[in-house]
């Protein structure tokens, strides 16, 4: 594993850690209808759930920690950030969040409840130390995720490969759309500079540069558009 741990490697370590904690139903980087949240790692047991968000940079962590869903609703009764050692400090995580570090190929608890009970959501003092790490999750969002997991497990191998291909195609389409927007902006900037340069080089005192034609922005079609 390289010194700078990639996001994919963090997610894999996080999923393995969640399984070791006793959450048998696990999904990684899952999108589901009914919630805009895409959990890096989500795990379920009979009466509880756990969420892990993997972060490779401080800028990504700081932006993520400001999301409203991190403090109200969202996925997971228990929630953790997972990062390379020392990237995030315990006092920086949002209220009731835990923190896990990756050291080598091991996941180390920096801020977490003691024991391995993982009781269901109950913020009363009777829950002891666990109540300090509990969130009231969005039941609608968690149902949507559980349905998505169950649906995936019921698919045939061919259907599973098809859905994975669609997901990859959508990611590529999103990336190309962003690249297309960036190139369109660059083209407009270059056209403006050319127009100004032409105006400055023209010897006629009353010459006015012709406005450049707008560069059309092409829409990148997602796989969803093709199958819908």
């Amino acid at each position: 594993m390289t010194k700078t741990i990639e996001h994919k490697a963090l997610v894999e370590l996080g999923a393995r850690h969640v399984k070791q904690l006793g959450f048998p139903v696990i999904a990684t980087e899952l999108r589901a209808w009914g919630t805009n949240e895409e959990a890096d790692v989500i795990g379920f047991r009979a009466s509880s759930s756990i969420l892990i968000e993997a972060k490779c940079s401080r800028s990504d962590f700081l932006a993520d920690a400001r999301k409203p869903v991190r403090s109200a609703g969202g996925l997971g009764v228990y929630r953790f950030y997972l990062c390379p050692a020392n990237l995030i400090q315990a006092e920086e995580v949002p209220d009731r969040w835990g923190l896990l570090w990756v050291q080598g190929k091991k996941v180390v608890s920096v801020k977490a409840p003691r024991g391995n009970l993982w009781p269901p959501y109950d913020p009363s003092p009777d829950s002891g130390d666990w109540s300090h790490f509990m969130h009231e999750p969005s039941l609608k969002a968690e149902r949507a995720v559980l349905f998505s997991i169950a649906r995936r497990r019921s698919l045939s191998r061919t259907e599973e490969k098809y859905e994975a291909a669609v997901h990859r195609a959508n990611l590529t389409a999103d990336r190309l759309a962003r690249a297309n927007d960036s190139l369109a902006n660059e083209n407009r900037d270059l056209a403006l500079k050319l127009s100004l340069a032409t105006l400055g080089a023209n010897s006629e005192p009353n010459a006015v540069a012709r406005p450049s034609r707008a560069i059309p922005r092409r829409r990148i079609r997602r796989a969803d558009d093709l199958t819908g």
Side-chain angles (χ1 to χ4, degrees):
M1 187 173 298
T2 59
K3 186 175 181 180
T4 301
I5 303 175
E6 295 181 355
H7 185 265
K8 182 179 180 180
L10 284 176
V11 170
E12 291 175 353
L13 288 171
R16 187 177 69 183
H17 182 70
V18 166
K19 186 174 183 179
Q20 291 172 345
L21 293 177
F23 291 81
V25 179
I26 302 169
T28 59
E29 298 179 304
L30 176 68
R31 284 186 179 181
W33 293 106
T35 174
N36 293 325
E37 192 174 357
E38 183 176 350
D40 286 333
V41 182
I42 182 74
F44 294 92
R45 58 198 301 179
S47 59
S48 190
S49 57
I50 186 172
L51 169 78
I52 288 183
E53 285 297 314
K55 300 302 169 188
C56 299
S57 69
R58 286 191 57 78
S59 59
D60 190 13
F61 160 68
L62 294 173
D64 186 89
R66 289 194 293 266
K67 293 179 180 179
V69 74
R70 298 304 182 221
S71 57
L75 298 170
V77 174
Y78 302 97
R79 305 175 186 183
F80 294 84
Y81 280 107
L82 173 67
C83 68
N86 295 305
L87 181 70
I88 304 170
Q89 302 303 316
E91 61 272 15
E92 295 181 295
V93 299
D95 187 37
R96 298 180 182 273
W97 278 70
L99 178 62
L100 305 169
W101 283 354
V102 171
Q103 295 180 336
K105 292 186 178 181
K106 294 182 178 180
V107 175
V108 179
S109 295
V110 178
K111 181 182 178 183
R114 293 186 296 273
N116 198 35
L117 295 175
W118 308 103
Y121 175 73
D122 179 7
S124 66
D126 294 338
S127 299
D129 183 50
W130 292 91
S131 64
H132 301 305
F133 289 87
M134 289 181 176
H135 295 76
E136 184 175 7
S138 166
L139 296 181
K140 177 183 177 182
E142 292 207 335
R143 279 196 299 268
V145 169
L146 282 169
F147 172 78
S148 182
I149 293 173
R151 181 175 177 275
R152 287 189 176 192
R153 294 190 176 186
S154 68
L155 294 176
S156 68
R157 186 63 177 168
T158 301
E159 292 171 324
E160 184 179 0
K161 288 182 177 179
Y162 170 76
E163 291 219 339
V166 169
H167 179 65
R168 290 193 299 270
N170 284 336
L171 292 177
T172 300
D174 291 341
R175 177 176 55 79
L176 291 175
R178 291 192 297 269
N180 183 67
D181 289 344
S182 178
L183 288 173
N185 290 332
E186 290 181 13
N187 283 335
R188 283 194 295 272
D189 291 341
L190 289 173
L192 177 59
K193 291 178 181 179
L194 178 61
S195 179
L196 294 175
T198 302
L199 178 61
N202 198 315
S203 59
E204 296 182 13
N206 295 323
V208 178
R210 294 182 179 179
S212 60
R213 295 178 61 187
I215 306 298
R217 299 170 67 179
R218 300 184 64 185
R219 179 172 179 267
I220 307 297
R221 301 184 69 185
R222 291 168 56 93
D224 294 339
D225 300 330
L226 301 177
T227 58

